[in-house]
Amino acid sequence: MNLNELRNRAYKTARDHGFHDEELSNEHCLCLVISELMEAVEANRKGKRANVDWYNKKIANSRICQGLVPDTPKEIGFEVAYNETIKGSIEEELADAVIRLLDLAGLRNFNLNRFSPVYVVSRKKTFTENIYAIVKEIMDRKYSLEEQVNYVITQVFALADILGVDLLWHIEQKMRYNELRENKHGKKY
């Protein structure tokens, strides 16, 4: 996994979609990471998990995804499958948190291939306690911002591992989805 390549892709997509039309503070960017983690908590409370098998079947069996429907781009089939099977899930929200961190790293030109051997997440903690531990690390500025971004990405990947989630796959899918979206994804910022 080359996080610097993902960083470049996330940053380019965000820039191309208007998210960097104005200068944003680090605090602004980190708050949006926290908001994604809180959305993961809400997805967990609702029991919303991605249905990857159903997603893959929908993609494989979609006439649109196979290019068999004239005048309908393949991307429409992908968006429909994604919205029906992954959107709003714990997996998507964790991927969103990492994508926001990747974007911040791209904005600030941070090197991301540094992994932390220390984890604040644990199998002994509840999902919510693990998210709290990650948010606490975001708020604790005992490291440089570059070290902090690397560390938090490591923690989210560790949590995904505890959950049995292929987070890299979900990041790839969400980045593909984001590349198809409108400017600022239809939001103010």
Side-chain angles (χ1 to χ4, degrees):
M1 166 175 42
N2 187 330
L3 288 177
N4 287 323
E5 287 178 12
L6 286 175
R7 171 203 65 200
N8 295 343
R9 183 175 169 197
Y11 175 65
K12 180 185 182 316
T13 300
R15 190 187 67 230
D16 291 352
H17 285 83
F19 285 104
H20 296 297
D21 288 351
E22 60 185 79
E23 182 65 28
L24 302 173
S25 70
N26 296 331
E27 292 78 11
H28 173 96
C29 296
L30 291 172
C31 186
L32 293 176
V33 172
I34 293 169
S35 76
E36 299 296 351
L37 294 170
M38 292 304 99
E39 288 178 13
V41 170
E42 284 303 308
N44 181 262
R45 292 179 69 205
K46 294 175 183 174
K48 182 81 168 95
R49 297 296 302 261
N51 190 333
V52 175
D53 291 338
W54 186 238
Y55 169 81
N56 287 328
K57 285 178 186 170
K58 288 182 87 56
I59 294 292
N61 296 322
S62 168
R63 292 177 46 77
I64 295 172
C65 290
Q66 294 170 22
L68 300 175
V69 179
D71 300 323
T72 303
K74 291 180 181 182
E75 291 81 9
I76 298 295
F78 165 75
E79 286 180 280
V80 169
Y82 189 92
N83 285 329
E84 290 178 1
T85 60
I86 297 173
K87 191 80 175 144
S89 66
I90 294 167
E91 295 86 347
E92 181 196 37
E93 303 306 345
L94 292 177
D96 281 341
V98 172
I99 290 167
R100 289 218 177 256
L101 289 162
L102 293 169
D103 175 38
L104 174 58
L107 178 65
R108 302 295 184 235
N109 197 30
F110 293 157
N111 178 11
L112 289 183
N113 286 322
R114 302 176 188 170
F115 295 96
S116 171
V118 178
Y119 297 101
V120 296
V121 298
S122 162
R123 293 186 188 284
K124 295 178 182 178
K125 295 178 183 177
T126 66
F127 181 83
T128 306
E129 290 167 340
N130 278 320
I131 294 292
Y132 175 82
I134 294 170
V135 170
K136 190 174 176 204
E137 292 301 315
I138 293 171
M139 302 302 295
D140 186 0
R141 294 301 300 262
K142 61 186 171 191
Y143 308 108
S144 71
L145 183 61
E146 183 173 11
E147 291 169 322
Q148 185 180 21
V149 168
N150 272 284
Y151 183 68
V152 172
I153 288 172
T154 300
Q155 301 309 310
V156 177
F157 268 93
L159 177 57
D161 186 57
I162 288 169
L163 298 172
V165 170
D166 182 351
L167 187 56
L168 186 57
W169 183 87
H170 282 279
I171 289 168
E172 288 285 347
Q173 301 311 306
K174 185 57 187 269
M175 289 176 96
R176 180 179 172 197
Y177 183 83
N178 285 345
E179 289 165 353
L180 301 172
R181 296 174 78 180
E182 63 188 299
N183 194 55
K184 293 186 183 172
H185 304 168
K187 299 177 183 174
K188 185 176 174 181
Y189 54 88

